[in-house]
Amino acid sequence: MSKKFEKINEMGADMEQADFHRNPPQLEQLALHGLVGDIAKAGAANSEANPAAIALNILAYLGVAVGRGVYLRLGDTIHHPLIFGLHVGRSSVARKGDSTALVFRLADQVCKRNECLAPQIHRGGLSTREGLIRLVHDAYQDGNDEVPGINDKRLLVAESEFANVLHQGKREGNTLSAALRDCWDGQDLKPATRHNLMGASNPHIGIMAAITPFELKTMIASRDLTNGFFNRFLVIYAERQRLVSMPTGTPAEVVVELV
């Protein structure tokens, strides 16, 4: 992590505590319908998580889970059901972790029921194009060794520190943002150089990410706003709507029913 990035984090620590958001947006209850609405309401019932954030994250998960066989054709362009979701909210009051907790519980139970239905979930963060390709790579030759490919190209990236992605995009030679644009478009990820033979065909990658308002305003680059990178994200601002002294979580029987 660069000194500049560390300084931004230190500056933001105090700034994020100030309440500059007097009128946070409220999601219409009519939006919480069907399975997505049931999950969002269940996750918010006994916690401080905002149902809008839960809905965004479960949409990202479901879009990855259904795979590339479901799509919408507009003209000659195929649009797969991929969501790049970005939850914006202040530290400690956005309850970003709470808004993903139920999604992970559901994903774990789906995997136990039927591994074929469950996409891979990566929670280790993103830093480079090569690192992203490695998660869904095709077969390739490494010296005398044939490295088998990953057959299931469905991948949900859970990026709790989206500021790091923005930071990596500013580094000289880092092409992560370009790779993410290609993923959202459903394009193959080609090897970065002729010396690196690792690529990924037909990737099906969704994102559920989180960031604070200060980090977003400070780290976003003008080129991210104009080159098509940031407009591929569905951005919401969501914070807790109430205080819960002892959150109990979603009952196990409700989780089973939702699964």
Side-chain angles (χ1 to χ4, degrees):
M1 182 181 296
S2 69
K3 292 183 177 179
K4 180 179 179 182
F5 193 40
E6 291 177 351
K7 185 176 181 180
I8 288 173
N9 282 338
E10 292 173 0
M11 291 169 58
D14 294 330
M15 292 291 291
E16 290 295 348
Q17 301 308 316
D19 185 3
F20 298 124
H21 312 279
R22 299 298 181 186
N23 297 296
Q26 300 294 325
L27 185 69
E28 289 287 345
Q29 289 300 304
L30 290 174
L32 299 176
H33 64 89
L35 175 62
V36 171
D38 291 343
I39 293 173
K41 293 173 184 176
N46 301 303
S47 75
E48 295 181 355
N50 191 304
I54 300 175
L56 177 67
N57 290 327
I58 196 63
L59 280 170
Y61 172 79
L62 291 173
V64 171
V66 299
R68 291 172 65 93
V70 178
Y71 58 87
L72 175 66
R73 185 185 294 275
L74 294 177
D76 293 322
T77 303
I78 290 178
H79 297 269
H80 297 101
L82 294 176
I83 296 279
F84 282 11
L86 180 59
H87 175 191
V88 182
R90 290 171 295 156
S91 297
S92 76
V93 294
R95 291 295 182 255
K96 304 181 188 76
D98 291 345
S99 67
T100 61
L102 180 55
V103 177
F104 291 138
R105 285 184 67 186
L106 293 172
D108 181 62
Q109 292 300 315
V110 168
C111 186
K112 290 179 180 179
R113 295 281 188 91
N114 189 337
E115 290 185 358
C116 295
L117 298 178
Q120 177 189 177
I121 298 180
H122 175 67
R123 302 172 66 173
L126 296 175
S127 58
T128 64
R129 175 192 185 91
E130 293 74 24
L132 178 63
I133 292 176
R134 189 174 295 278
L135 295 170
V136 289
H137 66 81
D138 297 334
Y140 66 97
Q141 195 74 25
D142 183 14
N144 295 325
D145 298 326
E146 177 73 22
V147 180
I150 296 175
N151 294 325
D152 190 346
K153 300 303 179 70
R154 297 173 303 160
L155 171 68
L156 177 66
V157 176
E159 179 55 87
S160 60
E161 299 294 339
F162 188 68
N164 181 61
V165 174
L166 297 178
H167 174 66
Q168 296 295 340
K170 295 180 179 181
R171 296 178 58 187
E172 185 69 26
N174 190 297
T175 57
L176 176 61
S177 62
L180 290 175
R181 293 201 306 269
D182 289 342
C183 287
W184 193 89
D185 294 339
Q187 298 181 14
D188 295 346
L189 297 177
K190 302 295 185 181
T193 66
R194 61 188 180 91
H195 301 291
N196 184 350
L197 301 180
M198 187 169 55
S201 59
N202 301 317
H204 191 70
I205 300 174
I207 299 175
M208 55 182 195
I211 194 171
T212 68
F214 181 82
E215 289 173 329
L216 179 59
K217 291 186 291 184
T218 305
M219 298 297 297
I220 193 73
S222 58
R223 68 172 179 271
D224 293 329
L225 299 173
T226 58
N227 66 4
F229 173 70
F230 198 64
N231 69 8
R232 283 168 168 78
F233 283 83
L234 176 57
V235 185
I236 68 166
Y237 186 95
E239 294 185 348
R240 67 185 179 199
Q241 298 177 320
R242 58 178 181 154
L243 291 171
V244 179
S245 58
M246 292 293 289
T248 58
T250 307
E253 59 271 18
V254 175
V255 172
V256 170
E257 182 179 353
L258 293 172
V259 169

